Amino acid sequence: MSASSVDQQPGNGREPAQLTALLYAMRVWRTKVRHIADPVEPTGQLTAAGRAERAGLDQSQRDQVVRQVAGLDSSWRETVLNPLRAADDGTLQWCGFHVRQPDQTACVPTVLAVQSARGNIALALWLVSGIDTIGIETQLRKVVRDSLPASSSNHDEPQGGEAGSHQAQIAARFGALVRYFQFRATHRGRVRLWPSAWGTPPWGAARVARYGQYRFTSRLVNDLAADSVKHVVGAAVIAADRGVPSVLYVGGDSSTKYRDAVPRHAILLHSSDGAGLAVFEPSAGRIIPVAPEELARSGGPRQAYAGWSHIGWAVVPVQPDV
């Protein structure tokens, strides 16, 4: 899954078609989404203790995370507290490391990794500093094994060393996390309903996505149908406004190529410190502001969609049962 290509073909005079619109007409995956009920304070406004509590850490883990975050220098600490804060040029930077998808098939696991870092301060702390307070590396090594940097351990890394070395270590840890999500979201059972060329299926992403206490569900979107937009995209907007990001699958239609009429890319919808909606677009590694009305209508290619034009699927949070 990748950004839209520029070698578009002219239409053939027929109405543009979308796979998700066809499935919607066949009443496939048209279940309504339960909106998350209680407002959540935007993560960017939380203290380290507040973020640790939201992540569901126990008291001992919270105390350790708060102590470790307090010992970081200011730039590292700001990144840990809000991994979705854009740099001045609009890119997503973690201490100089440009956060973006490593290859064309990794858009979904990339946004899942960023979503998880935003929702779990212990994970963000490990990504930025290498300090592992909750056994992250033990879990990752079951899947990615030797791809973690040798210096990563349960103690802090020197903060006065070479910037390039630090960025390389962040890149290695982030790459391992992306591969972890890619494996977990695509490897389950022998039956594949989603072609591997399309990347990570939305139901696989929903199965592994986590944000604190919230679990996720995948829902098809027909952005040509008002009720579909209201129920699914509306749920994603409400969740983002309340501090919980959602994954949106985007694509094109048959007016360019028939292969474009399926979900081709993924973005992460979130609220930028409670100051408005934005998406993390992983192919460019940028934070791009969006308005709710933009998400509610179909149209031509958009920068926030990496050049694609339609929302085709959404991975949105549901109200916890507890």
Side-chain angles (χ1 to χ4, degrees), residues 240-260:
D241 278 338
R242 295 176 178 177
V244 184
S246 294
V247 179
L248 302 179
Y249 282 65
V250 295
D253 55 46
S254 62
S255 64
T256 54
K257 300 176 183 177
Y258 279 105
R259 71 182 186 186
D260 290 345

PDB file of all heavy atoms in Angstrom, residues 240-260:
ATOM      1  N   ALA A 240     -11.262  10.775  17.577  1.00  0.00           N
ATOM      2  CA  ALA A 240     -10.081  11.639  17.493  1.00  0.00           C
ATOM      3  C   ALA A 240     -10.257  12.888  18.342  1.00  0.00           C
ATOM      4  O   ALA A 240      -9.332  13.318  19.042  1.00  0.00           O
ATOM      5  CB  ALA A 240      -9.816  12.016  16.036  1.00  0.00           C
ATOM      6  N   ASP A 241     -11.445  13.476  18.298  1.00  0.00           N
ATOM      7  CA  ASP A 241     -11.713  14.657  19.118  1.00  0.00           C
ATOM      8  C   ASP A 241     -11.550  14.354  20.604  1.00  0.00           C
ATOM      9  O   ASP A 241     -11.210  15.240  21.391  1.00  0.00           O
ATOM     10  CB  ASP A 241     -13.131  15.168  18.858  1.00  0.00           C
ATOM     11  CG  ASP A 241     -13.230  16.030  17.605  1.00  0.00           C
ATOM     12  OD1 ASP A 241     -12.185  16.566  17.182  1.00  0.00           O
ATOM     13  OD2 ASP A 241     -14.335  16.156  17.057  1.00  0.00           O
ATOM     14  N   ARG A 242     -11.795  13.107  20.982  1.00  0.00           N
ATOM     15  CA  ARG A 242     -11.707  12.716  22.390  1.00  0.00           C
ATOM     16  C   ARG A 242     -10.365  12.075  22.731  1.00  0.00           C
ATOM     17  O   ARG A 242     -10.200  11.518  23.810  1.00  0.00           O
ATOM     18  CB  ARG A 242     -12.866  11.775  22.724  1.00  0.00           C
ATOM     19  CG  ARG A 242     -14.215  12.480  22.617  1.00  0.00           C
ATOM     20  CD  ARG A 242     -15.379  11.544  22.840  1.00  0.00           C
ATOM     21  NE  ARG A 242     -16.640  12.276  22.779  1.00  0.00           N
ATOM     22  CZ  ARG A 242     -17.837  11.710  22.872  1.00  0.00           C
ATOM     23  NH1 ARG A 242     -17.931  10.400  23.043  1.00  0.00           N
ATOM     24  NH2 ARG A 242     -18.924  12.439  22.811  1.00  0.00           N
ATOM     25  N   GLY A 243      -9.425  12.149  21.793  1.00  0.00           N
ATOM     26  CA  GLY A 243      -8.063  11.747  22.106  1.00  0.00           C
ATOM     27  C   GLY A 243      -7.645  10.367  21.676  1.00  0.00           C
ATOM     28  O   GLY A 243      -6.553   9.921  22.021  1.00  0.00           O
ATOM     29  N   VAL A 244      -8.486   9.640  20.916  1.00  0.00           N
ATOM     30  CA  VAL A 244      -8.152   8.280  20.499  1.00  0.00           C
ATOM     31  C   VAL A 244      -8.045   8.241  18.974  1.00  0.00           C
ATOM     32  O   VAL A 244      -9.051   8.397  18.283  1.00  0.00           O
ATOM     33  CB  VAL A 244      -9.205   7.265  20.982  1.00  0.00           C
ATOM     34  CG1 VAL A 244      -8.779   5.845  20.608  1.00  0.00           C
ATOM     35  CG2 VAL A 244      -9.406   7.381  22.485  1.00  0.00           C
ATOM     36  N   PRO A 245      -6.854   8.020  18.414  1.00  0.00           N
ATOM     37  CA  PRO A 245      -6.687   8.019  16.954  1.00  0.00           C
ATOM     38  C   PRO A 245      -7.318   6.802  16.290  1.00  0.00           C
ATOM     39  O   PRO A 245      -7.434   5.730  16.889  1.00  0.00           O
ATOM     40  CB  PRO A 245      -5.159   7.997  16.777  1.00  0.00           C
ATOM     41  CG  PRO A 245      -4.590   8.382  18.106  1.00  0.00           C
ATOM     42  CD  PRO A 245      -5.575   7.892  19.120  1.00  0.00           C
ATOM     43  N   SER A 246      -7.707   6.975  15.026  1.00  0.00           N
ATOM     44  CA  SER A 246      -8.251   5.889  14.217  1.00  0.00           C
ATOM     45  C   SER A 246      -7.455   5.760  12.926  1.00  0.00           C
ATOM     46  O   SER A 246      -6.884   6.738  12.431  1.00  0.00           O
ATOM     47  CB  SER A 246      -9.723   6.152  13.869  1.00  0.00           C
ATOM     48  OG  SER A 246     -10.542   6.130  15.016  1.00  0.00           O
ATOM     49  N   VAL A 247      -7.443   4.554  12.377  1.00  0.00           N
ATOM     50  CA  VAL A 247      -6.769   4.291  11.107  1.00  0.00           C
ATOM     51  C   VAL A 247      -7.800   4.360   9.983  1.00  0.00           C
ATOM     52  O   VAL A 247      -8.850   3.714  10.065  1.00  0.00           O
ATOM     53  CB  VAL A 247      -6.092   2.908  11.111  1.00  0.00           C
ATOM     54  CG1 VAL A 247      -5.406   2.641   9.768  1.00  0.00           C
ATOM     55  CG2 VAL A 247      -5.093   2.804  12.260  1.00  0.00           C
ATOM     56  N   LEU A 248      -7.504   5.135   8.951  1.00  0.00           N
ATOM     57  CA  LEU A 248      -8.376   5.238   7.783  1.00  0.00           C
ATOM     58  C   LEU A 248      -7.652   4.669   6.570  1.00  0.00           C
ATOM     59  O   LEU A 248      -6.529   5.069   6.266  1.00  0.00           O
ATOM     60  CB  LEU A 248      -8.763   6.699   7.515  1.00  0.00           C
ATOM     61  CG  LEU A 248      -9.477   7.449   8.644  1.00  0.00           C
ATOM     62  CD1 LEU A 248      -9.754   8.887   8.223  1.00  0.00           C
ATOM     63  CD2 LEU A 248     -10.769   6.745   9.049  1.00  0.00           C
ATOM     64  N   TYR A 249      -8.302   3.730   5.892  1.00  0.00           N
ATOM     65  CA  TYR A 249      -7.782   3.194   4.632  1.00  0.00           C
ATOM     66  C   TYR A 249      -8.318   4.056   3.491  1.00  0.00           C
ATOM     67  O   TYR A 249      -9.527   4.323   3.432  1.00  0.00           O
ATOM     68  CB  TYR A 249      -8.246   1.762   4.428  1.00  0.00           C
ATOM     69  CG  TYR A 249      -7.500   0.710   5.219  1.00  0.00           C
ATOM     70  CD1 TYR A 249      -7.554   0.674   6.610  1.00  0.00           C
ATOM     71  CD2 TYR A 249      -6.759  -0.275   4.574  1.00  0.00           C
ATOM     72  CE1 TYR A 249      -6.888  -0.306   7.333  1.00  0.00           C
ATOM     73  CE2 TYR A 249      -6.087  -1.262   5.286  1.00  0.00           C
ATOM     74  CZ  TYR A 249      -6.155  -1.268   6.665  1.00  0.00           C
ATOM     75  OH  TYR A 249      -5.493  -2.234   7.372  1.00  0.00           O
ATOM     76  N   VAL A 250      -7.450   4.473   2.593  1.00  0.00           N
ATOM     77  CA  VAL A 250      -7.861   5.335   1.490  1.00  0.00           C
ATOM     78  C   VAL A 250      -7.451   4.699   0.164  1.00  0.00           C
ATOM     79  O   VAL A 250      -6.561   3.851   0.101  1.00  0.00           O
ATOM     80  CB  VAL A 250      -7.249   6.746   1.619  1.00  0.00           C
ATOM     81  CG1 VAL A 250      -7.780   7.454   2.849  1.00  0.00           C
ATOM     82  CG2 VAL A 250      -5.720   6.690   1.655  1.00  0.00           C
ATOM     83  N   GLY A 251      -8.129   5.117  -0.890  1.00  0.00           N
ATOM     84  CA  GLY A 251      -7.824   4.610  -2.223  1.00  0.00           C
ATOM     85  C   GLY A 251      -8.469   5.484  -3.269  1.00  0.00           C
ATOM     86  O   GLY A 251      -8.897   6.608  -2.986  1.00  0.00           O
ATOM     87  N   GLY A 252      -8.561   4.964  -4.484  1.00  0.00           N
ATOM     88  CA  GLY A 252      -9.137   5.732  -5.579  1.00  0.00           C
ATOM     89  C   GLY A 252     -10.395   5.079  -6.099  1.00  0.00           C
ATOM     90  O   GLY A 252     -11.161   4.472  -5.356  1.00  0.00           O
ATOM     91  N   ASP A 253     -10.610   5.202  -7.402  1.00  0.00           N
ATOM     92  CA  ASP A 253     -11.738   4.546  -8.049  1.00  0.00           C
ATOM     93  C   ASP A 253     -11.331   4.187  -9.471  1.00  0.00           C
ATOM     94  O   ASP A 253     -10.198   4.429  -9.891  1.00  0.00           O
ATOM     95  CB  ASP A 253     -12.998   5.422  -8.013  1.00  0.00           C
ATOM     96  CG  ASP A 253     -12.773   6.808  -8.607  1.00  0.00           C
ATOM     97  OD1 ASP A 253     -12.166   6.896  -9.702  1.00  0.00           O
ATOM     98  OD2 ASP A 253     -13.198   7.802  -7.991  1.00  0.00           O
ATOM     99  N   SER A 254     -12.256   3.630 -10.212  1.00  0.00           N
ATOM    100  CA  SER A 254     -11.929   3.110 -11.537  1.00  0.00           C
ATOM    101  C   SER A 254     -11.755   4.197 -12.588  1.00  0.00           C
ATOM    102  O   SER A 254     -11.480   3.889 -13.749  1.00  0.00           O
ATOM    103  CB  SER A 254     -13.015   2.131 -11.994  1.00  0.00           C
ATOM    104  OG  SER A 254     -14.265   2.794 -12.097  1.00  0.00           O
ATOM    105  N   SER A 255     -11.902   5.471 -12.209  1.00  0.00           N
ATOM    106  CA  SER A 255     -11.684   6.536 -13.187  1.00  0.00           C
ATOM    107  C   SER A 255     -10.219   6.635 -13.582  1.00  0.00           C
ATOM    108  O   SER A 255      -9.887   7.214 -14.617  1.00  0.00           O
ATOM    109  CB  SER A 255     -12.165   7.881 -12.634  1.00  0.00           C
ATOM    110  OG  SER A 255     -11.391   8.259 -11.505  1.00  0.00           O
ATOM    111  N   THR A 256      -9.336   6.094 -12.770  1.00  0.00           N
ATOM    112  CA  THR A 256      -7.911   6.062 -13.108  1.00  0.00           C
ATOM    113  C   THR A 256      -7.520   4.658 -13.564  1.00  0.00           C
ATOM    114  O   THR A 256      -7.198   4.429 -14.717  1.00  0.00           O
ATOM    115  CB  THR A 256      -7.058   6.502 -11.908  1.00  0.00           C
ATOM    116  OG1 THR A 256      -7.398   5.715 -10.756  1.00  0.00           O
ATOM    117  CG2 THR A 256      -7.299   7.972 -11.599  1.00  0.00           C
ATOM    118  N   LYS A 257      -7.562   3.710 -12.638  1.00  0.00           N
ATOM    119  CA  LYS A 257      -7.295   2.302 -12.949  1.00  0.00           C
ATOM    120  C   LYS A 257      -8.213   1.456 -12.081  1.00  0.00           C
ATOM    121  O   LYS A 257      -8.532   1.835 -10.962  1.00  0.00           O
ATOM    122  CB  LYS A 257      -5.841   1.943 -12.633  1.00  0.00           C
ATOM    123  CG  LYS A 257      -4.795   2.735 -13.393  1.00  0.00           C
ATOM    124  CD  LYS A 257      -3.403   2.351 -12.905  1.00  0.00           C
ATOM    125  CE  LYS A 257      -2.336   3.173 -13.598  1.00  0.00           C
ATOM    126  NZ  LYS A 257      -0.982   2.868 -13.094  1.00  0.00           N
ATOM    127  N   TYR A 258      -8.611   0.300 -12.589  1.00  0.00           N
ATOM    128  CA  TYR A 258      -9.473  -0.556 -11.786  1.00  0.00           C
ATOM    129  C   TYR A 258      -8.762  -1.033 -10.523  1.00  0.00           C
ATOM    130  O   TYR A 258      -9.391  -1.251  -9.491  1.00  0.00           O
ATOM    131  CB  TYR A 258      -9.964  -1.749 -12.613  1.00  0.00           C
ATOM    132  CG  TYR A 258     -11.138  -1.391 -13.495  1.00  0.00           C
ATOM    133  CD1 TYR A 258     -10.971  -1.230 -14.863  1.00  0.00           C
ATOM    134  CD2 TYR A 258     -12.399  -1.186 -12.954  1.00  0.00           C
ATOM    135  CE1 TYR A 258     -12.043  -0.879 -15.677  1.00  0.00           C
ATOM    136  CE2 TYR A 258     -13.476  -0.837 -13.750  1.00  0.00           C
ATOM    137  CZ  TYR A 258     -13.291  -0.685 -15.118  1.00  0.00           C
ATOM    138  OH  TYR A 258     -14.348  -0.325 -15.907  1.00  0.00           O
ATOM    139  N   ARG A 259      -7.450  -1.190 -10.599  1.00  0.00           N
ATOM    140  CA  ARG A 259      -6.723  -1.625  -9.411  1.00  0.00           C
ATOM    141  C   ARG A 259      -6.679  -0.542  -8.341  1.00  0.00           C
ATOM    142  O   ARG A 259      -6.325  -0.811  -7.193  1.00  0.00           O
ATOM    143  CB  ARG A 259      -5.304  -2.048  -9.782  1.00  0.00           C
ATOM    144  CG  ARG A 259      -4.383  -0.898 -10.179  1.00  0.00           C
ATOM    145  CD  ARG A 259      -3.015  -1.422 -10.572  1.00  0.00           C
ATOM    146  NE  ARG A 259      -2.072  -0.333 -10.818  1.00  0.00           N
ATOM    147  CZ  ARG A 259      -0.843  -0.499 -11.295  1.00  0.00           C
ATOM    148  NH1 ARG A 259      -0.424  -1.727 -11.570  1.00  0.00           N
ATOM    149  NH2 ARG A 259      -0.049   0.525 -11.494  1.00  0.00           N
ATOM    150  N   ASP A 260      -7.036   0.697  -8.718  1.00  0.00           N
ATOM    151  CA  ASP A 260      -7.082   1.778  -7.739  1.00  0.00           C
ATOM    152  C   ASP A 260      -8.405   1.816  -6.978  1.00  0.00           C
ATOM    153  O   ASP A 260      -8.544   2.578  -6.014  1.00  0.00           O
ATOM    154  CB  ASP A 260      -6.877   3.136  -8.423  1.00  0.00           C
ATOM    155  CG  ASP A 260      -5.458   3.330  -8.925  1.00  0.00           C
ATOM    156  OD1 ASP A 260      -4.579   2.551  -8.503  1.00  0.00           O
ATOM    157  OD2 ASP A 260      -5.234   4.243  -9.740  1.00  0.00           O
TER     158      ASP A 260
END
